[in-house]
Amino acid sequence: MSWSSPGGPGRLAGDGAVVARAPAKVNVHLAVGPLRSDGFHELRTVYLAVSLFDTVTVRPGDGLSLTVTGEGTTGSGPDAVPTDRRNLVWRAAELLAERAGVPADAAITIDKSIPAAAGLAGGSADAAAALVALDALWATHATRGELTALAARLGSDVPFSLLGGVALGSGRGEQLSPVLARRRWDWVLGIAGEGLSTPAVYAELDRLRAAGRVPDGEELSSPDPVIAALRSGPVPALAAALGNDLQPPALSLRPDLRRALRAATGAGAAAAVVSGSGPTVAALAEDEESAVRLTAALAGEGVYRTVRAVHGPVPGARLVG
Ligand code: C5P
């Protein structure tokens, strides 16, 4: 494969900057199978991309450098965002450069709105946006298929961050089938407390299963009711179909989340579910107006660090400008 191109870089601004953004996701259905021999769990999940975006700006540079601004830049636990090779964006840049046969030269800035380690795929969004932005900066002309293959090597959720919309995910989450959903869904995201480590939540699920405290996961629950509801509604149908096998382990590690879930339904959400590995609570609203009311009510409850009204589906990683 040769992606090197003699064409000039795809610059969108005067100083040679290229800007891309990518959305957060909510898993409206997350069925987790047993632990596989490769350390991952087999999944059946329905991803929904929602309107909370991280922005990645890349400029010509000498070697790689990374700056992070916005949400999560002061964290010290799992929500701390590293600015070196531990950041998925750094690895995305190295991987794209290597595969395309170009030098990994770029000054990269991530402007975060998606909280880290929150079950919203913030790191995956950054990696997906970086792939799209660097592909333009370096004029590597990768196809969507090639970018998706690189995304899958970076992390289970990165292919979905590229794709966006609604998709059924299988394998470890990286094998995607797009789902057509015509209507808009309104949600309120409540970020409760400090970040949770995804591997720790999966490990807690394995522990609860070994102790017989939750079903063993040999039979993955069907995503069909969620997909049918997402396509056409109504809201109570989606509310009834939401499910997440990572919710019990997230609650086990963070018992306070119970109160956060109750606060959401108590304030009028049609349903509330932990998003991915948590600790974000995704509260389903009847419509946009209800979401605004719910946001105000939940902001006053004091159980969440941040409360944001969002809607989905929205597109995946795209150039901006
Ligand atoms: O793919 P990603 O790097 O996002 O996964 C982070 C961690 O989450 C993995 O190392 C694994 O512990 C857990 N995981 C899993 N099964 C999946 C996806 C993630 O056990 N399908």
Side-chain angles (χ1 to χ4, degrees), residues 233-264:
V235 171
L238 182 58
L242 294 175
N244 178 4
D245 285 353
L246 291 181
Q247 182 163 307
L251 289 171
S252 168
L253 293 174
R254 201 56 79 67
D256 274 5
L257 273 178
R258 257 177 234 290
R259 200 158 61 95
L261 284 165
R262 270 201 309 270

Side-chain angles (χ1 to χ4, degrees), residues 25 36 38 40-41 43 45 47 86-89 91-93 95 121-128 131 147-163 169-176 198-199 202:
K25 61 83 185 159
R36 307 191 315 202
D38 64 359
F40 290 87
H41 295 73
L43 301 186
T45 186
Y47 292 107
R86 289 169 300 158
N87 194 305
L88 214 49
V89 160
R91 297 214 288 277
L95 194 59
S124 303
D126 300 345
L131 286 176
L147 288 183
T148 302
L150 297 186
R153 287 183 51 188
L154 290 165
S156 307
D157 291 337
V158 186
F160 179 72
S161 302
L162 266 183
L163 180 68
S170 54
R172 59 185 167 87
E174 89 288 13
Q175 294 164 24
L176 300 176
T198 301
Y202 275 102

Side-chain angles (χ1 to χ4, degrees), residues 22-31 43-53 114-115 118-125 156-158 160-161 163-169 173 176 179 181 185-191 202 223 226-227 230 238-239 241-247 261 271-285 308-316:
K25 61 83 185 159
V26 169
N27 302 86
V28 284
H29 174 87
L30 180 48
L43 301 186
R44 275 314 162 275
T45 186
V46 180
Y47 292 107
L48 172 71
V50 295
S51 58
L52 180 63
F53 299 92
I114 309 172
L120 295 170
S124 303
S156 307
D157 291 337
V158 186
F160 179 72
S161 302
L163 180 68
V166 181
L168 174 63
L176 300 176
V179 171
W185 293 94
D186 285 278
W187 301 81
V188 178
L189 303 179
I191 294 93
Y202 275 102
V226 158
I227 290 174
L230 266 178
L238 182 58
L242 294 175
N244 178 4
D245 285 353
L246 291 181
Q247 182 163 307
L261 284 165
V273 70
V274 169
S275 176
S277 51
T280 299
V281 167
L284 179 61
R308 296 288 298 260
V310 298
H311 63 88
V314 297

Side-chain angles (χ1 to χ4, degrees), residues 11-266:
R11 291 178 188 170
L12 297 181
D15 65 347
V18 178
V19 185
R21 67 174 197 173
K25 61 83 185 159
V26 169
N27 302 86
V28 284
H29 174 87
L30 180 48
V32 182
L35 180 62
R36 307 191 315 202
S37 56
D38 64 359
F40 290 87
H41 295 73
E42 187 66 24
L43 301 186
R44 275 314 162 275
T45 186
V46 180
Y47 292 107
L48 172 71
V50 295
S51 58
L52 180 63
F53 299 92
D54 277 1
T55 303
V56 172
T57 303
V58 299
R59 294 185 171 82
D62 187 10
L64 286 177
S65 63
L66 183 56
T67 308
V68 184
T69 63
E71 175 79 33
T73 44
T74 54
S76 55
D79 26 14
V81 182
T83 54
D84 54 23
R85 201 168 184 279
R86 289 169 300 158
N87 194 305
L88 214 49
V89 160
W90 193 288
R91 297 214 288 277
E94 287 183 340
L95 194 59
L96 178 65
E98 183 196 315
R99 296 303 296 271
V102 299
D105 289 334
I108 307 175
T109 302
I110 309 172
D111 187 15
K112 292 201 66 65
S113 295
I114 309 172
L120 295 170
S124 303
D126 300 345
L131 286 176
V132 168
L134 290 170
D135 178 55
L137 181 75
W138 293 337
T140 38
H141 302 299
T143 62
R144 273 272 149 176
E146 287 163 341
L147 288 183
T148 302
L150 297 186
R153 287 183 51 188
L154 290 165
S156 307
D157 291 337
V158 186
F160 179 72
S161 302
L162 266 183
L163 180 68
V166 181
L168 174 63
S170 54
R172 59 185 167 87
E174 89 288 13
Q175 294 164 24
L176 300 176
S177 312
V179 171
L180 269 183
R182 278 170 214 91
R183 58 158 293 172
R184 163 190 168 127
W185 293 94
D186 285 278
W187 301 81
V188 178
L189 303 179
I191 294 93
E194 299 203 331
L196 268 174
S197 140
T198 301
V201 175
Y202 275 102
E204 180 68 3
L205 174 64
D206 295 337
R207 199 186 65 79
L208 293 177
R209 282 178 168 167
R213 290 179 44 201
V214 296
D216 61 16
E218 288 295 342
E219 231 171 89
L220 290 171
S221 57
S222 167
D224 295 349
V226 158
I227 290 174
L230 266 178
R231 281 201 172 116
S232 50
V235 171
L238 182 58
L242 294 175
N244 178 4
D245 285 353
L246 291 181
Q247 182 163 307
L251 289 171
S252 168
L253 293 174
R254 201 56 79 67
D256 274 5
L257 273 178
R258 257 177 234 290
R259 200 158 61 95
L261 284 165
R262 270 201 309 270
T265 44

